[in-house]
Amino acid sequence: MSSPSTTTHYRACNLCEAICGIEIEHSGDEIVAIRGDREDPFSRGHVCPKAVALKDIQDDPDRLRRPLRRTGTEWSEVGWPEALDEVAARLGAIRREHGRDSLAVYLGNPNVHNLGVLLYGPPLLRTLRTRNRYSATSVDQLPHHLAALEMFGHQLMLPIPDVDRTDFLLMLGANPVASNGSLMTAPGIERRLKELRERGGVLVVIDPRHTETARLADRHHFIRPGTDALLLLALLQTIFAEGLAKPGRLAEHCDSLDTVRRLAAEFPPARVAAATGIPAAEIAALASRFAAASSAVCYGRLGVSTQEFGGLCQWLINLLNTVTGNLDRPGGAMFTLPAVDALASYGRGHLGRWRSRVRGLPEFGGELPAAALAEEILNDEPQRIRALLTLAGNPVLSTPNGGQLERALGRLDFMVSIDLYLNETTRHAHLILPPTPPLERDHYDLVFNLLAVRNTAKFSPALFRPSRGALHDWQILDELHKRLANGSLGGRLKRAVWSRLGPRRLLDLGLRLGPYGSGLKPFGGGLTLARLERQEHGIDLGPLEPCLPERLHSPGNRIELAPGRLVADLDRLRRRLAAPAGLAAGTGELRLIGRRDVRSNNSWMHNFPRLMRGRDRCTLLMHPRDAARLELSDESRVAVVSRTGRVTAPLEITDRVMPGVVSLPHGWGHDRQGTRLATANSHPGASLNDLTDERQVDLLCGTAALNGVAVSVEKLSAPPG
Ligand SMILES: Nc1nc2c(c(=O)[nH]1)N[C@H]1C(S)=C(S)[C@@H](COP(=O)(O)OP(=O)(O)OC[C@H]3O[C@@H](n4cnc5c(=O)[nH]c(N)nc54)[C@H](O)[C@@H]3O)O[C@H]1N2
Ligand SMILES: Nc1nc2c(c(=O)[nH]1)N[C@H]1C(S)=C(S)[C@@H](COP(=O)(O)OP(=O)(O)OC[C@H]3O[C@@H](n4cnc5c(=O)[nH]c(N)nc54)[C@H](O)[C@@H]3O)O[C@H]1N2
Ligand code: SF4
Ligand SMILES: [Mo]
């Protein structure tokens, strides 16, 4: 809807996983309004306050428009050809002298929201062939990939909770009302959860904090951080003991059900109640209700992935869904059929083919854990990392022990960042290469359609033409690739063809060859980019459909219920349960967890004035009982101290957090010198990851245990300033 002087542009917001349809009313280059697109068949008008950030990114005077080169602490603009040549020359020289593993790469979260990077990043990475690849995956969803690989044979066979049809949603360690959902693309999740309850369904939330999502739930249970694997085992134990296990249609395709029954038998509710903080009777009742529901799904996200037993949690969640017959059935945990088949072009995945040099942490899918990056730089071995490329990442604020990583970055011979901003990480680079912002490029969600609660497709053409000379992320990657590839004639030809095709034509090919596609016939029916583009609100491809066992990627199309590596990892959990200072410890020590706010997105949306209004959000939440014990009041400013660091924050006393647990949001800490983020600098907050510990990882797969960090809290004597 636009007035006579304005035009309306339709697209998907690419800032978070919800992929909301938006309408942008604009007059030439001036954005007049950004609203939810009511005609979008998937999001039906939903947006969150961050949608307007698309305009703020576009207009932000701090956003970098030209490559920058650092000399000491001074930055100066450089032309594109010169910047690209210099980056390639420096990386090439270090590689020649010290070998390919001396170059490291860190890939941040926005890459999965970026069509061009998804198509042009992999070829460059293959050319670099470094074993020192790191990404946000190992501070995020890695355990989901591991469980999918081990059970279903492919790291991307991720079961998605069918929220729109389920009768019972058991949610652990997720707060979609603030995060808008993750590994569950479901725009307007709050409405979907309310609809679940209106149709008589049940929502149970397990979280050490009484979250915004818990407020919508029938039941919320506090749980001691890091003990979810025990709870899940006890749920399974009850289900087996009460004869409620009925895998149904898939039973004949599952292996090792008896092993699972035997393993779970060790963990009756009474044995885990003290450790988890949930009474045994409540656990047993929850198990019975879950198993009795006509459809049910257990879903666990960041709080159960980024903890010491994340791999076990995601395996046990899949098990709970499978043994109750809820895997691959409507209302349960289902698989998507996106219009571009991402599984076909990604490897199945692998664990532990090589290990990090210093600590011996395993690679997963070709990447080493981000928790190992700093130490791989800060050592004196000849094979240490000497150069780093960061691509849309801010690991100083987003990976554990950010302070140590900063020291490491300062030691590199060369660092280059492809990024929109001069921030806490990129300020350490020698060169920053800024790409075009989201509204200047074409967009299609290759990843989030794979994770969506419904099959849909939408193409978002660029709204604005890039300013003169600007490059897209994919063009920067392609230019670097061109300069760094020294392959065969065949390899060079392939690269040249890929480079000529560009994201649009590659997407068209992907759509044509996908499950709804026209094939390669010029006039065949079915989906092509041209046809999709004509549907500016996007198209609905229907609800998720059962697809097992045919779509399994495992040998013989079998579901392995008791993968050896996961079964073996139970030993770590047993030892922890038995240790006197283990999970049940009541040592008086506090456990630190994170949180999200709907107006933030990880570390990079604190520079937009409209999202920063109101009171300070970077506060430490503490239960009144702990506050009383420590003689703290609501006016206190406190220091939070861990093995790795010390930060200060205003205290917020609330019974919405569990006794013994404190919570600080992540993504803050914008008071570091020399960044170019005027608004963020004036609302700096403190970085949670100055407190998280790189030594605390899920040893099975190297995922950082960002939740459950042991901290103490001290009162600051005088209020600052
Ligand atoms: N303690 C704690 N730590 C956490 C988490 C937590 O819950 N608790 N959450 C973790 C999770 S889930 C994640 S995903 C990670 C995120 O970790 P990161 O991806 O490392 O961090 P982001 O804050 O997302 O930083 C994104 C960067 O990309 C840049 N950028 C944005 N858009 C573009 C673009 O289109 N192109 C380019 N080239 N650059 C762009 C931004 O300027 C910013 O520098 O953090 C993790 N860290
Ligand atoms: N507004 C906003 N939206 C976002 C982001 C953002 O930064 N801001 N980030 C995006 C990204 S990259 C991601 S990955 C998603 C993440 O999406 P979610 O997984 O929904 O993320 P969180 O809101 O961090 O929810 C994690 C919950 O786990 C709880 N928790 C912590 N430790 C434990 C534990 O040991 N056990 C249990 N059961 N719970 C625990 C925390 O209290 C918290 O409520 O959000 C995405 N959306
Ligand atoms: S929930 Fe907000 S940030 Fe996420 S896609 Fe929708 S409008 Fe964008
Ligand atoms: Mo994430």
Side-chain angles (χ1 to χ4, degrees):
M1 252 164 289
S2 51
S3 67
S5 59
T6 62
T7 319
T8 304
H9 165 86
Y10 297 96
R11 69 188 296 110
C13 173
N14 72 327
L15 297 177
C16 89
E17 299 186 32
I19 65 172
C20 299
I22 52 174
E23 52 175 56
I24 303 184
E25 191 185 332
H26 64 107
S27 164
D29 284 351
E30 177 66 22
I31 295 171
V32 180
I34 300 184
R35 289 180 286 257
D37 175 4
R38 287 210 202 100
E39 315 263 322
D40 182 296
F42 194 24
S43 63
R44 296 186 271 157
H46 177 266
V47 280
C48 84
K50 283 191 298 296
V52 295
L54 287 168
K55 170 177 164 62
D56 298 338
I57 300 168
Q58 184 70 26
D59 299 340
D60 190 350
D62 286 337
R63 177 169 62 78
L64 305 180
R65 268 88 172 160
R66 284 197 186 77
L68 290 185
R69 180 198 282 130
R70 180 171 60 83
T71 322
T73 54
E74 296 297 310
W75 292 94
S76 51
E77 288 190 358
V78 225
W80 274 107
E82 190 185 335
L84 291 162
D85 287 346
E86 185 172 329
V87 169
R90 296 287 303 271
L91 293 177
I94 293 170
R95 180 173 62 175
R96 270 192 306 281
E97 193 177 340
H98 301 288
R100 54 178 201 252
D101 294 339
S102 63
L103 307 187
V105 180
Y106 175 88
L107 306 166
N109 166 278
N111 292 310
V112 285
H113 302 263
N114 186 322
L115 173 67
V117 172
L118 290 168
L119 295 169
Y120 286 81
L124 174 64
L125 292 172
R126 278 195 292 276
T127 286
L128 294 178
R129 282 174 66 219
T130 172
R131 288 188 162 186
N132 276 307
R133 262 173 63 192
Y134 300 82
S135 85
T137 291
S138 53
V139 285
D140 189 347
Q141 82 288 0
L142 199 167
H144 297 254
H145 297 309
L146 176 66
L149 170 65
E150 298 282 316
M151 297 179 75
F152 312 126
H154 196 297
Q155 58 178 335
L156 294 180
M157 282 284 291
L158 300 170
I160 307 302
D162 188 11
V163 279
D164 291 345
R165 287 180 290 184
T166 196
D167 296 308
F168 197 116
L169 175 54
L170 170 59
M171 190 185 298
L172 292 82
N175 184 16
V177 172
S179 71
N180 290 305
S182 182
L183 302 193
M184 173 180 68
T185 288
I189 185 67
E190 188 167 346
R191 175 177 50 73
R192 291 172 201 266
L193 294 176
K194 285 178 179 156
E195 283 168 1
L196 158 74
R197 296 206 48 205
E198 278 159 19
R199 64 176 181 263
V202 176
L203 172 65
V204 177
V205 171
I206 312 282
D207 198 300
R209 183 164 78 86
H210 190 265
T211 59
E212 294 77 2
T213 306
R215 289 176 210 191
L216 299 183
D218 297 82
R219 260 335 272 278
H220 163 253
H221 298 281
F222 280 139
I223 186 165
R224 290 184 57 83
T227 65
D228 302 82
L230 294 171
L231 168 67
L232 291 160
L233 282 159
L235 293 173
L236 283 165
Q237 189 277 341
T238 309
I239 284 166
F240 284 117
E242 293 184 0
L244 301 171
K246 354 173 229 344
R249 179 178 64 85
L250 291 177
E252 57 177 309
H253 305 287
C254 291
D255 289 324
S256 318
L257 186 64
D258 284 334
T259 310
V260 172
R261 183 195 313 269
R262 182 173 51 73
L263 291 169
E266 262 183 70
F267 299 90
R271 206 174 152 222
V272 308
T276 57
I278 306 178
E282 299 271 5
I283 299 175
L286 176 58
S288 312
R289 290 172 74 200
F290 186 88
S294 36
S295 69
V297 62
C298 179
Y299 160 76
R301 202 39 203 103
L302 207 68
V304 288
S305 296
T306 52
Q307 53 146 285
E308 275 185 85
F309 299 102
L312 287 181
C313 285
Q314 294 304 337
W315 166 50
L316 295 166
I317 286 170
N318 287 346
L319 275 181
L320 195 59
N321 290 327
T322 309
V323 304
T324 54
N326 284 300
L327 183 71
D328 195 39
R329 89 161 174 204
M334 301 192 75
F335 299 94
T336 58
L337 191 63
V340 179
D341 184 5
L343 266 69
S345 46
Y346 269 81
R348 289 173 358 108
H350 40 77
L351 172 70
R353 286 207 182 150
W354 62 87
R355 289 186 171 263
S356 67
R357 283 198 160 93
V358 175
R359 219 187 318 171
L361 292 176
E363 66 76 40
F364 182 85
E367 291 182 359
L368 289 168
L373 174 56
E375 69 203 22
E376 294 295 321
I377 303 171
L378 290 172
N379 66 77
D380 293 320
E381 298 299 317
Q383 310 96 322
R384 70 171 181 270
I385 295 171
R386 310 198 182 230
L388 173 68
L389 162 68
T390 69
L391 174 55
N394 193 3
V396 165
L397 295 191
S398 59
T399 67
N401 199 352
Q404 183 194 33
L405 181 62
E406 281 202 291
R407 288 192 293 285
L409 298 185
R411 193 199 184 200
L412 291 166
D413 294 344
F414 183 67
M415 173 170 162
V416 53
S417 294
I418 304 178
D419 206 287
L420 298 167
Y421 287 98
L422 203 181
N423 65 18
E424 298 76 15
T425 295
T426 63
R427 74 192 175 111
H428 295 278
H430 296 88
L431 280 134
I432 306 178
L433 309 177
T436 53
L439 297 181
E440 291 178 12
R441 56 191 191 224
D442 297 337
H443 178 65
Y444 178 88
D445 279 292
L446 283 180
V447 171
F448 299 104
N449 284 307
L450 179 74
L451 307 174
V453 301
R454 227 183 138 80
N455 294 313
T456 64
K458 179 170 193 159
F459 179 71
S460 308
L463 167 57
F464 299 125
R465 214 176 318 169
S467 50
R468 233 192 24 206
L471 296 182
H472 300 299
D473 278 293
W474 73 268
Q475 291 170 312
I476 300 172
L477 295 168
D478 193 49
E479 289 295 328
L480 290 177
H481 190 194
K482 188 169 18 180
R483 288 166 172 79
L484 284 158
N486 45 13
S488 61
L489 182 63
R492 289 210 299 276
L493 271 173
K494 217 167 105 189
R495 202 205 58 74
V497 171
W498 195 258
S499 153
R500 280 295 283 278
L501 283 169
R504 271 185 82 96
R505 262 172 291 187
L506 289 171
L507 174 63
D508 185 41
L509 269 175
L511 290 166
R512 285 168 183 273
L513 299 175
Y516 312 89
S518 67
L520 292 177
K521 298 185 291 289
F523 303 108
L527 209 52
T528 63
L529 179 56
R531 288 192 184 121
L532 184 58
E533 199 166 358
R534 282 198 289 276
Q535 307 292 324
E536 53 188 3
H537 304 289
I539 55 172
D540 183 32
L541 299 166
L544 307 187
E545 301 279 356
C547 65
L548 300 191
E550 291 75 19
R551 298 235 332 267
L552 288 166
H553 285 244
S554 48
N557 284 13
R558 308 286 301 163
I559 299 173
E560 178 51 62
L561 297 180
R565 280 199 266 243
L566 287 153
V567 172
D569 199 40
L570 284 172
D571 271 344
R572 227 164 32 98
L573 187 67
R574 288 189 190 100
R575 282 199 302 275
R576 185 52 73 84
L577 184 59
L583 293 164
T587 55
E589 207 175 47
L590 294 162
R591 296 281 165 168
L592 177 65
I593 60 169
R595 71 177 187 271
R596 285 174 156 73
D597 178 278
V598 75
R599 284 160 300 165
S600 294
N601 194 25
N602 297 329
S603 74
W604 70 282
M605 283 189 198
H606 297 145
N607 207 45
F608 310 131
R610 279 183 296 182
L611 296 179
M612 297 304 290
R613 290 196 194 119
R615 58 184 197 88
D616 191 351
R617 274 136 55 190
C618 190
T619 59
L620 186 79
L621 305 184
M622 181 184 276
H623 191 272
R625 228 188 288 165
D626 293 313
R629 181 170 56 82
L630 296 169
E631 295 176 10
L632 298 169
S633 77
D634 249 335
E635 281 80 53
S636 304
R637 208 180 155 85
V638 291
V640 192
V641 184
S642 74
R643 183 191 75 81
T644 62
R646 179 180 193 274
V647 307
T648 65
L651 185 69
E652 206 177 322
I653 299 173
T654 168
D655 59 7
R656 289 194 191 271
V657 68
M658 187 178 190
V661 175
V662 286
S663 162
L664 194 69
H666 83 289
W668 299 84
H670 306 297
D671 49 357
R672 271 114 161 134
Q673 294 300 307
T675 61
R676 203 175 283 178
L677 297 162
T679 304
N681 292 157
S682 58
H683 305 262
S687 177
L688 171 58
N689 287 316
D690 286 346
L691 297 170
T692 54
D693 193 334
E694 86 287 2
R695 292 188 198 161
Q696 220 172 313
V697 297
D698 178 350
L699 283 172
L700 174 65
C701 54
T703 310
L706 302 168
N707 288 296
V709 179
V711 292
S712 57
V713 173
E714 300 158 6
K715 187 175 190 162
L716 287 184
S717 40

